[in-house]
Amino acid sequence: MSTSPDLTKAGPAVPGSTVLPAAEPRPDVPERRRVIGRPRRTDGFALAGAAVAGVSLTALLFTRLAPFDGVLGFVVVSYLAFLGFYTLLVSFDESGPTVRDRLAAAVVHSLAALMLLALVVVVVFTLWRGREALVYLNFFADDMGRAGPLQPLSVGGIRHAIIGTLMQIAIALAVTVPLGLVCAVFLSELPGPFSRLVRTIAEAMTALPSVVAGLFVYATVVLALGMGKSGFAASLALGVMMLPIMIRAADVVIRLVPGTLREASLALGASQWRTIWHVVVPTARSGLTTAVILGTARGIGETSPVLLTAGFAAYTNANPTSGPQTSLPLFVFDAVRRPDEAMIARGFGAAAVLMGLVLILFAIARLVGGRAPGQLGRRAARARARASRRDAAR
């Protein structure tokens, strides 16, 4: 008795065609998944070939065919030639949409690499130029009260600039953080004609030149109120620069909170302000931290407002309400324009200290507000545990 394959599962037969039996799966051979996001070997060959061809064509153009010179022009022409050759090589194997996608990916990745390279060059150059001053302990512990322009690096330091920067940015944050967050909550949670006006003013103030902010505080606080140049006046000028950035960033973050969270809180009987304080703000906590970081980055590197409102001093002034007070950016500005090498080294060393200080402040801000929505800290977790024990006992 002969057996024939079952043809009932192979689908309807087409006239003039041969129906093959359905292939049975082999349980002993595992299925191999296809990975479509992994780069292929031909992609690397196309990138390398386009780079070599672009540099070679540019070298031929600059040395033989055209009277071009300059490093910047060579780099720009090489990059454009690389993009052209890369598009041509990819078009041999791929379709039009894929070619455009590969070209856009090459442009985006190259620009990201350029930005990273620029950042590394700035940081390394600053550390290298300031290495002579950073090795002295007096550079961090002394001020410039006893150091003249011809004194060696073993005399004087930037203690007065560090103290001035910390005090000014602390006062500015104490003023701008509550005002900025409350204003952002008002703009996002209480829409209306007045909130639209405030949002328009905040958007316009984001492009305010720093010297205008310094002149405003100088005219109102230093001259009109008679307070005189001080660190507090400089903090107000920095706050004018930081506040619009903080308001706009926090407003955007709060508006991204899903409306269903607000509706659920209101449906459970919570008031609007209780919903904002216990639902909206904790959900947007990491974004609000980013807003504070952006505002701090805008204010901590300003020079002209501090020069107009706090002046310049070579000694340490720990009283922000009276007397001139120097900040690190102002000290860097004054030191790098000096002709002597010792002051230039001190300026680059102060710039390196400023970068380290900014990094520390950003790390602290991330530790304070970088938790995900719904993730409790240690204190909040202990409070929740105590509340649970009281509920269980009741």
Side-chain angles (χ1 to χ4, degrees):
M1 182 178 180
S2 62
T3 60
S4 61
D6 187 7
L7 303 180
T8 60
K9 299 180 179 180
V14 179
S17 63
T18 304
V19 179
L20 299 178
E24 296 182 358
R26 298 180 59 184
D28 54 336
V29 179
E31 182 181 1
R32 185 176 181 181
R33 301 182 61 182
R34 180 184 179 186
V35 180
I36 60 176
R38 183 178 302 172
R40 298 175 301 178
R41 184 179 301 178
T42 57
D43 299 336
F45 289 157
L47 285 172
V52 173
V55 173
S56 301
L57 178 61
T58 306
L60 181 62
L61 182 65
F62 271 60
T63 57
R64 300 295 181 182
L65 301 180
F68 297 154
D69 57 358
V71 178
L72 181 59
F74 186 89
V75 172
V76 172
V77 175
S78 299
Y79 178 70
L80 296 178
F82 159 74
L83 294 179
F85 282 116
Y86 182 69
T87 304
L88 179 63
L89 293 177
V90 173
S91 63
F92 290 154
D93 298 329
E94 305 292 347
S95 59
T98 306
V99 172
R100 291 190 291 269
D101 178 75
R102 298 289 176 82
L103 180 61
V107 172
V108 170
H109 285 83
S110 59
L111 292 179
L114 179 62
M115 294 297 103
L116 180 61
L117 179 62
L119 177 62
V120 171
V121 168
V122 170
V123 173
V124 172
F125 179 76
T126 303
L127 293 175
W128 178 257
R129 290 296 303 272
R131 70 189 187 282
E132 299 177 357
L134 294 174
V135 297
Y136 291 95
L137 295 178
N138 60 278
F139 181 71
F140 305 95
D142 295 340
D143 54 27
M144 296 296 294
R146 297 183 296 106
L150 300 180
Q151 294 289 338
L153 293 175
S154 58
V155 180
I158 59 171
R159 180 186 63 187
H160 60 303
I162 296 176
I163 294 176
T165 297
L166 291 176
M167 297 184 70
Q168 292 171 13
I169 201 66
I171 296 174
L173 286 175
V175 174
T176 56
V177 169
L179 291 179
L181 298 184
V182 170
C183 184
V185 170
F186 167 74
L187 295 180
S188 60
E189 300 297 327
L190 299 175
F194 185 66
S195 62
R196 289 194 294 269
L197 176 63
V198 173
R199 181 179 287 111
T200 302
I201 296 175
E203 291 177 353
M205 288 184 63
T206 54
L208 182 70
S210 59
V211 66
V212 176
L215 288 174
F216 170 75
V217 176
Y218 178 77
T220 56
V221 177
V222 177
L223 296 181
L225 299 180
M227 181 178 293
K229 292 186 176 182
S230 62
F232 181 75
S235 301
L236 295 180
L238 296 179
V240 173
M241 300 300 303
M242 296 164 54
L243 189 60
I245 303 295
M246 202 174 298
I247 291 174
R248 290 298 298 133
D251 179 29
V252 171
V253 169
I254 293 176
R255 291 167 68 180
L256 292 177
V257 176
T260 53
L261 296 178
R262 300 180 178 88
E263 296 172 358
S265 178
L266 295 174
L268 292 175
S271 62
Q272 184 179 11
W273 290 109
R274 190 175 182 86
T275 299
I276 294 172
W277 182 254
H278 292 282
V279 176
V280 176
V281 173
T283 304
R285 179 172 48 197
S286 59
L288 296 178
T289 304
T290 304
V292 174
I293 289 175
L294 292 176
T296 305
R298 176 66 188 274
I300 200 171
E302 292 293 341
T303 302
S304 56
V306 180
L307 180 61
L308 291 172
T309 56
F312 184 84
Y315 56 88
T316 302
N317 181 16
N319 185 7
T321 59
S322 65
Q325 192 178 62
T326 307
S327 65
L328 281 173
L330 184 57
F331 180 84
V332 172
F333 170 76
D334 180 74
V336 297
R337 63 189 183 93
R338 299 289 186 88
D340 49 305
E341 292 295 331
M343 287 301 298
I344 294 176
R346 289 189 181 97
F348 279 98
V353 174
L354 179 62
M355 290 191 301
L357 180 61
V358 171
L359 181 61
I360 292 174
L361 293 177
F362 286 1
I364 293 175
R366 281 302 180 188
L367 290 177
V368 170
R371 290 188 295 269
Q375 183 180 0
L376 301 178
R378 294 182 178 179
R379 182 179 301 178
R382 289 195 296 266
R384 185 177 65 176
R386 289 194 299 268
S388 300
R389 287 194 294 267
R390 287 197 300 268
D391 294 340
R394 186 170 62 250

